């Protein structure tokens, strides 16, 4: 542009470069070391080597700290685990005894403790009555054991129920022909034909003698 309008181009370019260089230095703070680095390669290499050494030292210290922390953590964990094992340690003889008791409940020292946890079936006395009701077909039944409240419900086909009493049973069936009765292991005569309902039939030891 200076050549076109007849001005000295070299002088104008020098002024332009001076102004641009002055603005560049003012707006961007460039460290002197970076400007001098190309002029002092040996010092730059030493500085880089020192920085590498410093980084290696810092990394080594960090690794040592991590390793020491890991060792302390695992050591404490192992110690606490060993303490727990010592508290719960059981001798070999005790383990053998426990296994024998678990596989053979009859060898237990105190069977009363087991009875407190698991209810034991009531064993009838010698003069008691045992009534077994077997359903040939689904049937409604009602059983009164001595003076206890009646036990009522549907007995499905193929199922059976067993009842105990000291004196007597009072039985009712919605379908007399759908059940078979066994008193103390002896089968009783049917109370009626199929489809016939019966109510309040007393079964006692005298009834067994009639059979």
């Amino acid at each position: 542009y200076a050549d076109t309008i007849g001005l000295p181009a070299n002088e104008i370019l020098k002024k332009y470069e001076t102004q641009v260089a002055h603005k560049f230095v003012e707006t961007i703070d460039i460290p002197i070391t970076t400007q001098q680095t190309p002029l002092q390669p040996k010092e730059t290499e030493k500085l880089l080597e020192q920085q590498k050494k410093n980084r290696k030292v810092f990394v080594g210290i960090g690794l040592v700290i991590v390793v020491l922390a890991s060792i302390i953590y695992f050591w404490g964990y192992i110690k606490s685990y060993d303490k727990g094992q010592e508290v719960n340690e059981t001798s070999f003889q005790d383990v053998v005894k426990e296994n024998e008791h678990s596989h053979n409940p009859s060898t237990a020292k105190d069977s009363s403790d087991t009875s407190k946890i698991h209810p034991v079936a009531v064993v009838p006395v010698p003069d008691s009555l045992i009534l077994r009701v077997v359903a040939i077909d689904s049937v409604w039944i009602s059983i009164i054991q001595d003076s206890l409240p009646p036990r009522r419900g549907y007995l499905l086909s193929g199922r059976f129920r067993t009842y105990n009493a000291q004196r007597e049973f009072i039985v009712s069936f919605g379908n007399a022909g759908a059940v078979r009765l066994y008193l103390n292991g002896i089968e009783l005569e049917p109370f009626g034909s199929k489809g016939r309902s019966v109510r309040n039939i007393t079964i006692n030891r005298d009834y067994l003698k009639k059979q």
Side-chain angles (χ1 to χ4, degrees), residues 149-164:
R151 302 178 65 179
R152 300 188 177 102
Y154 281 92
L155 188 60
L156 300 180
S157 177
R159 303 293 182 88
F160 68 90
R161 291 288 184 272
T162 302
Y163 305 91
N164 297 331

Side-chain angles (χ1 to χ4, degrees), residues 49-99:
E49 290 294 333
Q50 186 63 35
Q51 291 177 352
K52 290 181 180 180
K53 291 181 180 180
N54 293 339
R55 283 197 294 268
K56 290 181 179 180
V57 172
F58 292 147
V59 172
I61 294 174
L63 290 176
V64 171
I65 294 174
V66 171
V67 172
L68 290 177
S70 301
I71 293 173
I72 294 172
Y73 173 79
F74 285 108
W75 178 259
Y77 176 79
I78 293 172
K79 294 296 289 183
S80 63
Y81 179 79
D82 292 339
K83 290 181 180 179
Q85 289 295 102
E86 292 176 359
V87 172
N88 298 325
E89 184 177 0
T90 304
S91 64
F92 177 77
Q93 291 80 3
D94 293 338
V95 173
V96 173
K97 290 179 181 179
E98 291 179 1
N99 290 335

Side-chain angles (χ1 to χ4, degrees), residues 9 19 21 57 76 98 105 124 127-128 135 138 149 160 163 167-168 171 183 186 194:
Q19 292 179 358
V57 172
E98 291 179 1
D127 60 345
S128 66
S138 298
F160 68 90
Y163 305 91
R167 299 184 306 275
E168 64 182 10
V171 300
L183 184 61
I186 300 176
K194 186 175 181 180

Side-chain angles (χ1 to χ4, degrees), residues 2 10 27 50 59 161 184 203:
N10 292 332
T27 54
Q50 186 63 35
V59 172
R161 291 288 184 272
N184 289 8
I203 300 177

Side-chain angles (χ1 to χ4, degrees), residues 11-31:
E11 295 180 2
I12 293 175
L13 287 176
K14 287 181 181 180
K15 293 181 180 179
Y16 173 76
E17 290 176 358
T18 301
Q19 292 179 358
V20 171
H22 179 69
K23 292 181 180 180
F24 183 77
V25 172
E26 289 180 348
T27 54
I28 300 178
D29 187 10
I30 301 176

